[in-house]
Amino acid sequence: MDSVAGRLRYDHEPVASDREQYEFGKGARKRIPRSAHADYVPDARRDPLAILEKQNASRLPSLVPLRTARMLQDPFAFYRGTAALQAADLAGGAVTGANVVACGDAHIANFGIFASPERRMVFDLNDFDEATVAPWEWDLKRLVTSVVIAARARGASETAAEEVALLSAAAYRDGLRVSVGLDVTQRFFEAAVIHGGRQYGKATQRLVKKTVAASEKRTSAHVVSRITELADDGSRRIVENPPRLTHVPAEIEASIGEVLARYSRTVSPDIALLLDQHTVTDIARRVVGVGSVGTRCFIVVLTGPRGEPLVLQVKEATESVMHEFGGVPSEDIAGIDRATLAEHHGYRVTANQRILQAVSDPFLGYVSFEGYGFYVRQFRDRNVSFDIPGMPDEPFADYVRTCATILARAHSRSPLAASIAGYIGSGDALPHAVTEWSLAYADQSLADFHALGEAAEAGRFAVSDVL
């Protein structure tokens, strides 16, 4: 009689051991030397402003000037909004070919604290609009470049900026080695639970406790109390705050019930049953982020049977910049339905978020509306970000090291993680190379920031007076 293992091997090729993958990764150094990752050579044909204009063409025209204004606030804000530029610039660089489920926009402002379904506070990646299967190097370089730009914005010397960037690259190396040293099941279920930052110094512990305390006000009840008022019939109605928050046309408002019904079929049965015990109170269009400004985004206020509020965010999901501008081909990965993926970017976002995060929002789902794909999540569930510009130096170093470790943990869930660890090794060759690349790319991003400012002054890009 055939064994179960034999039947599994018939349907599925045997999985390479971590040791085999690690050795394969070491061998890849002969093909792609780790030093090759230091070279940033811009394409002579690169046109960053044209890429921004291409993105603007699919966005709500009335909000495009606001996007430009937010990107021109400072070089880090600009960098946050230019994942597409970096994807295009990374397309010609060195890669090992060991792709992972990647965040696609892993800069250090895209990490934060939120409550798990078990009501524990965790720290993790929190933005997945660009997530897809892509080179691990791209996530790492986007992260380390963001460290350089943030350090410079904080007034760090070039030496200090380089040191903290190298610290983050080395933390990714170390975090990946630790993660692939765990059983693969452990890699999927180990969450970064907040315990007051006791592994850090006192300054970082104080910052963590302060930030966790601030999260207590980041709830549906609190946001509803701030953005709504009682209508004559006793219901809660959103107070407009243009252009950030405006009511939607009547036809969208009339459709929201059916939209939420379709969305509820993409969440687990318990959440669908919970949603069924809520009534839609109001819906408004909301402007979000920097890079996302101009995409279609709504918040929906629902009310439970005791009058308790629940606020959902319904956000447009467009093609990942990894594909559109980076040229990354679509790649199959177990657990993600290729047919649904091909027709629905909201599904892409939610599926990859669940892979990359240790724990995810139970309300996470997706839906189509008026020809656009959207993903849905809670608008406020004690989610809060750290004040990066206001951090003292020691907590900033702790923060970027933690972000890099979390990114490594997310990447360790992909099948080729051990080969990446083998390629990187235990030395500083790869961290030094990535740091050198990131320093050069931070200079490129700054030049692009000034180019956008000059184009705006010349009238090529309209700029809103309101942020």
Side-chain angles (χ1 to χ4, degrees), residues 347-402:
Y347 172 73
R348 172 185 58 77
V349 172
T350 59
N352 288 307
Q353 177 170 345
R354 292 193 182 282
I355 290 172
L356 289 166
Q357 284 186 318
V359 291
S360 295
D361 179 4
F363 289 88
L364 190 63
Y366 58 95
V367 70
S368 295
F369 178 61
E370 293 190 335
Y372 299 98
F374 296 85
Y375 64 93
V376 184
R377 63 185 181 189
Q378 288 186 83
F379 179 58
R380 289 285 185 265
D381 192 26
R382 295 194 64 183
N383 53 309
V384 64
S385 298
F386 284 85
D387 176 17
I388 296 172
M391 287 182 182
D393 289 344
E394 181 181 335
F396 178 69
D398 288 337
Y399 176 78
V400 302
R401 187 171 68 244
T402 303

Side-chain angles (χ1 to χ4, degrees), residues 255-278:
S255 303
I256 192 60
E258 173 57 28
V259 170
L260 292 182
R262 294 200 306 270
Y263 145 71
S264 70
R265 293 193 283 271
T266 70
V267 298
S268 60
D270 59 325
I271 297 301
L273 183 62
L274 174 58
L275 288 167
D276 192 55
Q277 298 176 60
H278 285 76

Side-chain angles (χ1 to χ4, degrees), residues 242-258:
R244 299 172 186 166
L245 197 62
T246 56
H247 278 101
V248 300
E251 58 269 23
I252 294 180
E253 190 169 300
S255 303
I256 192 60
E258 173 57 28

Side-chain angles (χ1 to χ4, degrees), residues 9-30:
R9 283 197 296 270
Y10 181 80
D11 295 327
H12 189 289
E13 288 297 317
V15 176
S17 70
D18 281 349
R19 172 49 57 187
E20 290 171 327
Q21 288 194 49
Y22 191 88
E23 292 301 321
F24 179 82
K26 286 178 65 176
R29 301 174 193 171
K30 298 178 181 178

Side-chain angles (χ1 to χ4, degrees), residues 57-78:
S58 64
R59 304 194 177 204
L60 296 168
S62 62
L63 294 179
V64 168
L66 177 58
R67 182 192 186 208
T68 304
R70 289 189 175 183
M71 291 177 69
L72 288 176
Q73 288 180 89
D74 56 63
F76 191 79
F78 175 82

Side-chain angles (χ1 to χ4, degrees), residues 30 108 141 203 226 235 238 343 359 366 399 406 429 435 445:
K30 298 178 181 178
I108 59 172
K141 289 178 177 178
R226 292 182 58 224
S235 65
I238 294 171
E343 66 184 25
V359 291
Y366 58 95
Y399 176 78
I406 293 297
T435 298
S445 182

Side-chain angles (χ1 to χ4, degrees), residues 22 25-26 28-29 34 37 96 136-137 140 169-170 172-174 176-177 408 411 417-431 434:
Y22 191 88
K26 286 178 65 176
R29 301 174 193 171
R34 289 169 293 181
H37 293 282
T96 59
W136 61 272
E137 298 96 333
L140 179 57
Y172 177 87
R173 173 202 64 201
D174 297 341
L176 192 64
R177 285 174 63 85
H411 285 178
S419 68
I420 299 168
Y423 177 80
I424 295 173
S426 58
D428 289 334
L430 193 279
V434 169

